[in-house]
């Protein structure tokens, strides 16, 4: 089956579940329910596309298909920001209650953290990408340890607010934030798409890419920044989804079997939309909100991650 046909099939499933989620059970309440459902669907589409795009390009520059941008500590930093804010300022403070302020602060902090980290590690021009990953893992673990320590000390009533931030949720997404996220994600993807052919070459390895005329360090830095922006925006918009990018990126590799990033990114994005919207529909219609979509994704993603580790160990 040709890749274009596969994309049409995935696109059809994505449209089907989006339509099903939007229109099922409206019973004439179009003015009230449809706009709210539309915002949720748009949030899921943006989150899915951002995570898929950032994960595929991140795995390309790291040459490792079991890594995600979250390994750099973005999820841990987001939870630390929320925990510190609630612990020291209280859950009624404007930085916690006002979603716009919280979104701006969270995105800004994560992007500044990424820029400082990349600037420090790439300053000498000799730091390998795996050194960057190692530092990201250590920093992320450090952030997670501080968050856990503060959560032990925090008031139990305040901890409930922290707990709400630990899992991704599409039920209380602000409409204004969705449009802000849309603008940032679209601009980032347009900038990144200009280097899409360079990523095809980068997948061959550092030395081969340099010999073929690609400015390796420049493309890697640009890709890391774009990946960081996309993950920061999606995390601040709905919360952390640790394993989702790992799932859709690897399924895209197996389904399309190509090196072209223009195909892999679009394919992973369609899978993301299909999975998120379809999964949220199942959570609401089948499980009747007895669980959350992020819990299901992390459960399935954890099992899939173990499978990938075992698969890699057998191949080596």
């Amino acid at each position: 089956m040709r890749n274009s046909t596969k994309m049409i099939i995935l696109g059809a499933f994505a449209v089907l579940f989006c339509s099903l989620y939007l229109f099922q059970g409206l019973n004439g309440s179009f003015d009230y329910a449809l706009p709210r459902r539309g915002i949720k669907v748009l949030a899921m589409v943006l989150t899915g596309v951002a995570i898929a795009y950032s994960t595929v390009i991140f795995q390309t520059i790291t040459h490792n298909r079991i890594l995600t941008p979250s390994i750099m500590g973005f999820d841990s930093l987001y939870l630390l920001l929320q925990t510190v804010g609630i612990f020291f300022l209280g859950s009624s403070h404007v930085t916690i209650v006002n979603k716009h302020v919280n979104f701006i602060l969270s995105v800004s902090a994560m992007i500044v953290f990424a820029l400082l980290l990349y600037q420090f590690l790439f300053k000498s021009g000799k730091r390998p990408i795996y050194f960057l990953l190692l530092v990201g893992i250590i920093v992320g673990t450090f952030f997670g340890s501080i968050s856990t320590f503060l959560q032990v000390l925090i008031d139990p009533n305040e901890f409930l607010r922290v707990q709400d931030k630990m899992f991704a949720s599409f039920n209380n997404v602000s409409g204004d934030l969705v449009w802000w996220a849309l603008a940032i994600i679209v601009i980032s993807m347009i900038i990144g798409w200009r280097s899409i052919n360079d990523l095809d070459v980068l997948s061959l390895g550092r030395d081969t890419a340099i010999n073929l005329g690609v400015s390796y360090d420049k493309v890697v830095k640009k890709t890391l920044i774009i990946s960081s922006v996309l993950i920061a925006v999606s995390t601040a918009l709905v919360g952390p989804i640790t394993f989702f990018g790992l799932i859709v990126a690897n399924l895209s590799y197996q389904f399309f079997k190509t090196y072209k990033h223009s195909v892999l990114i679009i394919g992973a994005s369609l899978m993301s939309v299909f999975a998120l919207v379809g999964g949220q529909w199942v959570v609401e219609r089948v499980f009747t909100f007895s669980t959350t979509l992020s819990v299901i994704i992390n459960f399935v993603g954890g099992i899939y991650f173990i499978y990938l580790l075992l698969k890699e160990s057998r191949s080596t």
Side-chain angles (χ1 to χ4, degrees):
M1 188 184 298
R2 298 172 60 182
N3 286 333
S4 58
T5 305
K6 294 178 180 178
M7 284 191 182
I8 292 174
I9 294 174
L10 284 175
F13 274 108
V15 172
L16 173 64
F17 271 98
C18 286
S19 302
L20 189 64
Y21 187 87
L22 283 172
F23 299 108
Q24 184 183 14
L26 279 179
N27 298 325
S29 57
F30 288 91
D31 294 337
Y32 175 79
L34 190 60
R36 287 161 177 78
R37 291 187 182 185
I39 289 296
K40 290 173 65 175
V41 169
L42 182 56
M44 286 185 274
V45 170
L46 291 177
T47 302
V49 171
I51 292 177
Y53 189 105
S54 61
T55 302
V56 171
I57 62 177
F58 186 82
Q59 291 180 347
T60 296
I61 61 177
T62 58
H63 304 288
N64 194 315
R65 293 187 176 182
I66 61 174
L67 296 179
T68 66
S70 299
I71 200 173
M72 300 304 300
F74 295 109
D75 290 352
S76 299
L77 177 58
Y78 173 76
L79 291 177
L80 176 62
L81 292 172
Q82 305 305 317
T83 304
V84 168
I86 294 175
F87 183 84
F88 289 103
L89 302 176
S91 59
S92 60
H93 194 267
V94 63
T95 56
I96 305 299
V97 176
N98 192 310
K99 293 183 179 181
H100 300 80
V101 175
N102 189 279
F103 178 82
I104 294 173
L105 290 177
S106 299
V107 172
S108 301
M110 286 186 279
I111 293 177
V112 169
F113 162 72
L115 293 176
L116 292 176
L117 185 63
Y118 301 155
Q119 180 66 24
F120 171 73
L121 295 177
F122 283 111
K123 189 174 182 180
S124 64
K126 299 179 181 179
R127 301 289 190 186
I129 188 67
Y130 287 107
F131 183 79
L132 174 64
L133 297 176
L134 178 61
V135 173
I137 294 173
I138 294 172
V139 173
T141 303
F142 176 69
F143 289 158
S145 299
I146 297 177
S147 299
T148 302
F149 175 72
L150 294 177
Q151 289 165 15
V152 171
L153 300 177
I154 202 169
D155 180 86
N157 295 322
E158 300 282 21
F159 177 73
L160 294 176
R161 293 299 303 273
V162 177
Q163 201 171 30
D164 291 338
K165 303 290 185 179
M166 293 181 179
F167 304 100
S169 174
F170 299 96
N171 295 319
N172 298 315
V173 178
S174 172
D176 294 338
L177 296 185
V178 171
W179 299 115
W180 291 7
L182 174 64
I184 299 173
I185 290 172
V186 169
I187 293 173
S188 300
M189 291 182 65
I190 290 175
I191 295 174
W193 200 261
R194 297 176 181 177
S195 304
I196 199 71
N197 293 328
D198 292 335
L199 292 176
D200 294 341
V201 181
L202 253 64
S203 62
L204 300 175
R206 183 179 187 277
D207 295 336
T208 303
I210 293 175
N211 290 334
L212 291 175
V214 175
S215 180
Y216 181 83
D217 290 339
K218 181 179 178 181
V219 174
V220 167
K221 292 177 184 178
K222 177 182 176 180
T223 303
L224 282 172
I225 292 173
I226 292 173
S227 178
S228 301
V229 171
L230 293 176
I231 285 295
V233 172
S234 63
T235 303
L237 182 64
V238 300
I241 312 179
T242 305
F243 290 107
F244 186 67
L246 178 76
I247 298 173
V248 295
N250 281 276
L251 288 178
S252 180
Y253 301 142
Q254 296 178 11
F255 191 59
F256 291 100
K257 299 184 183 301
T258 181
Y259 68 92
K260 290 185 174 296
H261 284 74
S262 56
V263 175
L264 293 173
I265 291 173
I266 296 175
S269 299
L270 291 174
M271 287 183 182
S272 298
V273 175
F274 164 58
L276 285 180
V277 179
Q280 187 66 24
W281 180 83
V282 170
V283 167
E284 295 184 10
R285 301 293 177 177
V286 178
F287 293 105
T288 61
F289 293 100
S290 59
T291 185
T292 61
L293 180 59
S294 60
V295 172
I296 298 176
I297 290 174
N298 288 335
F299 175 74
V300 175
I303 296 175
Y304 190 57
F305 180 70
I306 295 174
Y307 162 75
L308 292 175
L309 288 177
L310 295 175
K311 181 181 177 181
E312 288 291 327
S313 64
R314 287 197 300 267
S315 63
T316 55

